[in-house]
Amino acid sequence: MIIRNDSFLIVAVLGAADPSHFRTRPVAALSVDLRGILGGRHYGFTRAAGAREPWYPRKTEMRSGRQVTVVSMEELAQVAMRMELPMVEPGWIGADVVTRGVPDLTGLPWGTRLECGSGAVLVNEGENAPCRFAGAEIARHYPDRPGLDRLFPKAAIHLRGILASVELAGTIAPGPVTLRVPPQRPWRGSK
Amino acid sequence: MIIRNDSFLIVAVLGAADPSHFRTRPVAALSVDLRGILGGRHYGFTRAAGAREPWYPRKTEMRSGRQVTVVSMEELAQVAMRMELPMVEPGWIGADVVTRGVPDLTGLPWGTRLECGSGAVLVNEGENAPCRFAGAEIARHYPDRPGLDRLFPKAAIHLRGILASVELAGTIAPGPVTLRVPPQRPWRGSK
C-alpha cells in the first residue's frame, strides 16, 4: 500500500554534534549510503551487540538494523506533555530525522519504506526503545527536575519513533515523504 | 515474545547446486556470516534492484533484505495440493532453509528472529513473492502438465515462505529453531 499525502513531511534532519556523544543537531541535509548516515555514529552494516540484545554476548558483531533513527514531532510533544516539560528536542535524544503529519510513526509496520522526496529510501526496522541515557540528556536541560532520566523510558514507550536501515542511497532533507506500507495480516501462529 | 517449541524444526538446509542457477540441493549445513550464505547466490549486504522493485531504476544498488529464503514443509505441501502435484521440492524453487512445525511461516511478523539451535540467527524480512521462474523450474519436473509456471505464482501466494537477513553469524543446520516475535500492534495510521 503506497500512501502519498501532502501532510506527510520530514521537517528536520540532524547530524552528529560531537562524535563522542549521541546528541545530534539540525543540519540542512543528510547524505546516506547503504551503510547509513555519512559521518554518523551508527554508520555501518553491522554493529556490536549491546544492552539492547542481552541474548547475544556483548560486543558480538551483529547486523545493525539501526542506521537511522526517526522521530515524530507529534509523538515528542506527547512525551514532553507526559513528562510535564515544555519540550523534548529531537537532538537531545539523538534523532536523525523528524517527521510531522505521519500518524502513529512509532507504530508503522516493520518493513514500511519511507521514500524521501529528496531521494533516499529508508526501511522501518521497528520501534525504538526509549532508554535512560537519552533520558539523562533531557534531564540535563531541566536541572531543577530530578528523576527525568528514569521518567523518559516510561513516558516515551511506543512514542520514541523507529529505527531504520537505508534501502536506497541518496539525500534526506526536509520535504515530503511517501510511505510504502507492507500488507498487515495477523500471524496465525499467535493464536 | 519468545516461542520455544519442541515441534519448531529446521528439517533441511540447501546449498547452491550450480552458481549460474537459483536451484539448490540438500547439504549438511550452511555457514552464514552477516552478508549471507557463504557461497550462496544472494551473498552480500546489497544487491541490484530487479523486477521485484519496479519503483527503482533497474540494477541500482540497494539493501539486500533477501540473503536467505526459508520455506515450510507444510506450506509447500499445500502449494503442491493446489497445483495437483505430488510434491514441490524446496530445491526446485531455490529455498535455503526448510522448516517443519512452525505455523504460518509465511505470515510470521516482519522482524521475527529465527534463532537456529545450530547458532545462526535470521531476521524475517517479509513474505517472498512467488514468481514464474520458480514456477518454470517446477514445470520442468512435470513435462506433461502445461502451464505450471504460471500456476505457481497463484497457488503459492502467501505460502512461498519468507526472505531473511542474517543477524548473527554461525551455522544453520537441521535441528530446533526458536522464534523471537516482535510485538504486533495494528498501525493506527491505517484507519
Side-chain angles (χ1 to χ4, degrees):
Chain A
M1 177 177 53
I2 299 177
I3 312 182
R4 281 198 182 80
N5 186 316
D6 288 345
S7 68
F8 291 3
L9 294 171
I10 290 170
V11 289
V13 294
L14 299 91
D18 161 3
S20 72
H21 196 276
F22 61 78
R23 273 187 305 264
T24 50
R25 59 180 168 199
V27 294
L30 294 173
S31 291
V32 299
D33 67 19
L34 298 176
R35 288 179 166 77
I37 299 168
L38 273 70
R41 197 174 162 81
H42 293 283
Y43 184 79
F45 288 117
T46 70
R47 62 181 172 91
R52 286 161 193 263
E53 301 83 24
W55 43 82
Y56 296 147
R58 217 173 167 91
K59 305 213 170 170
T60 309
E61 191 186 14
M62 62 177 285
R63 174 177 177 277
S64 167
R66 49 180 304 130
Q67 294 173 348
V68 181
T69 69
V70 186
V71 299
S72 108
M73 292 276 284
E74 296 89 340
E75 288 180 338
L76 284 194
Q78 214 178 324
V79 172
M81 206 166 58
R82 287 182 179 187
M83 296 177 77
E84 299 183 350
L85 297 174
M87 70 175 77
V88 169
E89 289 287 347
W92 298 348
I93 59 173
D96 302 310
V97 177
V98 186
T99 67
R100 199 182 65 207
V102 176
D104 190 18
L105 176 81
T106 301
L108 271 180
W110 205 297
T112 295
R113 267 60 172 183
L114 289 80
E115 305 182 347
C116 307
S118 46
V121 179
L122 303 177
V123 188
N124 176 18
E125 297 249 22
E127 190 169 336
N128 200 352
C131 74
R132 206 144 61 79
F133 301 103
E137 194 54 25
I138 297 170
R140 220 171 54 83
H141 289 85
Y142 300 103
D144 54 329
R145 284 281 313 276
L148 288 182
D149 57 334
R150 288 169 186 277
L151 179 56
F152 176 69
K154 290 173 201 156
I157 188 83
H158 303 322
L159 296 168
R160 175 64 175 91
I162 57 173
L163 300 168
S165 293
V166 177
E167 176 158 284
L168 198 73
T171 298
I172 309 178
V177 62
T178 297
L179 302 181
R180 185 179 299 277
V181 183
Q184 290 185 270
R185 95 172 151 82
W187 179 46
R188 288 193 292 269
S190 56
K191 276 183 291 193
Chain B
M1 177 177 53
I2 299 175
I3 313 183
R4 282 198 182 81
N5 187 317
D6 288 346
S7 69
F8 291 3
L9 294 171
I10 290 171
V11 289
V13 294
L14 299 91
D18 161 2
S20 72
H21 197 276
F22 61 76
R23 272 188 305 265
T24 50
R25 60 181 168 195
V27 294
L30 295 173
S31 291
V32 299
D33 67 17
L34 299 175
R35 287 177 167 78
I37 299 168
L38 273 69
R41 199 175 159 80
H42 293 285
Y43 185 77
F45 288 118
T46 70
R47 62 182 174 90
R52 285 161 194 263
E53 300 83 22
W55 42 83
Y56 296 146
R58 219 175 165 90
K59 304 213 171 170
T60 309
E61 191 186 14
M62 63 178 286
R63 174 177 177 278
S64 167
R66 48 179 308 130
Q67 294 173 348
V68 181
T69 70
V70 186
V71 300
S72 108
M73 292 277 282
E74 296 88 343
E75 288 179 339
L76 284 193
Q78 213 178 323
V79 172
M81 205 167 58
R82 287 183 178 185
M83 296 176 77
E84 300 182 350
L85 295 175
M87 68 174 77
V88 170
E89 288 288 348
W92 298 348
I93 59 173
D96 303 309
V97 177
V98 186
T99 66
R100 197 181 67 205
V102 176
D104 190 19
L105 176 80
T106 300
L108 270 181
W110 205 295
T112 294
R113 267 62 172 183
L114 289 80
E115 305 181 348
C116 306
S118 46
V121 179
L122 303 177
V123 188
N124 176 18
E125 298 249 20
E127 190 168 338
N128 200 353
C131 74
R132 206 144 61 80
F133 301 104
E137 194 54 26
I138 297 170
R140 219 170 54 84
H141 290 83
Y142 300 103
D144 55 329
R145 283 282 313 278
L148 288 183
D149 59 334
R150 289 167 186 278
L151 179 57
F152 176 68
K154 290 172 199 155
I157 188 83
H158 304 320
L159 296 168
R160 174 65 173 91
I162 56 173
L163 300 168
S165 292
V166 177
E167 176 159 282
L168 198 72
T171 298
I172 309 179
V177 61
T178 297
L179 303 181
R180 186 180 297 280
V181 184
Q184 291 186 270
R185 93 172 153 83
W187 179 46
R188 287 193 293 270
S190 56
K191 276 183 291 193

